[in-house]
């Protein structure tokens, strides 16, 4: 999702499409849909991923740190859920959290990081404190929706009007072609 940058938002703007972000527990999604958590993958897959991600980052001109340990994505996801309810540049916020993690190596589970990223994208830092229960419920519901919709990884783009699905930032060109036919 980090490597997608703002391409999804630009594609949606060109085609008048609306984006709904549905943060979810990706590790639970892997468990529920036959995937393998990154740390449990075969060494050959881990080695390839450690070569392929920097290639993509260089190709896209974005910094990438692979030395960042796994973190609990729920706190920043709750903030995204609250921000989406509040309205504003949710795409920018999502990218801000991803950049903080994958470019800056920061732990986006930490309250201080969340409180810094929110206002940088036009949101009140108090969103980090509001709607936690609703955020947790929505986060869990998003996982159920994803499993029911056939989602198995991230980023995953689902065009509700047509049922077409696109998995991975490297499929954004196909998503754009599809939207152009609508």
């Amino acid at each position: 999702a980090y490597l997608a940058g703002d391409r999804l938002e630009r594609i949606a703007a060109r085609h008048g499409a609306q984006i709904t972000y549905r943060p979810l527990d990706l590790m639970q999604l892997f468990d529920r849909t036959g995937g393998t958590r990154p740390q449990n993958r075969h060494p050959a897959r881990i080695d390839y991923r450690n070569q392929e991600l920097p290639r993509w980052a260089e190709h896209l001109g974005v910094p990438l740190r692979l030395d960042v340990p796994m973190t609990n994505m729920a706190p920043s996801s709750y903030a995204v859920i609250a921000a989406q309810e509040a309205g504003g540049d949710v795409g920018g916020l999502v990218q801000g959290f991803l950049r903080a993690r994958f470019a800056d190596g920061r732990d986006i589970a930490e309250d201080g990081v969340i409180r810094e990223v929110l206002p940088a994208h036009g949101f009140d830092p108090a969103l980090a404190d509001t709607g936690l229960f609703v955020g947790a419920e929505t986060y869990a519901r998003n996982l159920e929706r994803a499993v029911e919709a056939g989602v198995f990884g991230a980023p995953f783009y689902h065009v509700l009007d047509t049922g077409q699905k696109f998995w991975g930032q490297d499929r954004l060109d196909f998503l754009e072609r599809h939207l152009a036919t609508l």
Side-chain angles (χ1 to χ4, degrees):
Y2 165 67
L3 293 174
D6 68 348
R7 289 182 288 153
L8 175 64
E9 291 76 16
R10 287 186 283 133
I11 289 168
R14 281 194 294 273
H15 298 282
Q18 180 181 357
I19 300 170
T20 302
Y21 297 88
R22 298 204 190 274
L24 53 77
D25 185 331
L26 184 58
M27 298 304 120
Q28 288 294 317
L29 183 67
F30 289 154
D31 294 346
R32 303 250 326 256
T33 60
T36 304
R37 292 177 180 222
Q39 67 271 25
N40 298 332
R41 293 178 182 159
H42 187 277
R45 287 182 178 268
I46 293 170
D47 182 56
Y48 182 78
R49 182 177 185 265
N50 289 338
Q51 291 180 24
E52 182 72 352
L53 290 178
R55 276 195 287 260
W56 270 105
E58 180 182 3
H59 174 71
L60 296 169
V62 296
L64 175 69
R65 293 186 54 180
L66 293 178
D67 63 338
V68 180
M70 296 293 287
T71 191
N72 179 3
M73 302 295 279
S76 59
S77 294
Y78 296 171
V80 169
I81 290 165
Q84 192 157 243
E85 191 66 30
D89 183 13
V90 180
L93 180 63
V94 168
Q95 293 161 38
F97 282 128
L98 291 170
R99 236 183 345 272
R101 173 147 170 65
F102 293 106
D104 303 335
R106 301 180 73 198
D107 186 351
I108 60 173
E110 293 180 2
D111 285 344
V113 174
I114 293 169
R115 289 178 194 287
E116 287 178 30
V117 173
L118 281 164
H121 297 281
F123 293 97
D124 185 338
L127 277 180
D129 301 323
T130 61
L132 295 180
F133 183 72
V134 170
E137 285 183 326
T138 303
Y139 191 65
R141 193 169 42 254
N142 287 346
L143 175 62
E144 297 305 318
R145 281 182 173 155
V147 171
E148 290 169 11
V151 173
F152 52 84
F156 203 98
Y157 314 105
H158 186 191
V159 181
L160 297 180
D161 293 348
T162 65
Q164 290 294 298
K165 301 171 190 174
F166 304 87
W167 173 50
Q169 61 84 23
D170 55 336
R171 303 303 193 281
L172 284 168
D173 289 341
F174 296 127
L175 171 62
E176 180 155 32
R177 278 193 237 157
H178 176 67
L179 292 175
T181 67
L182 300 180

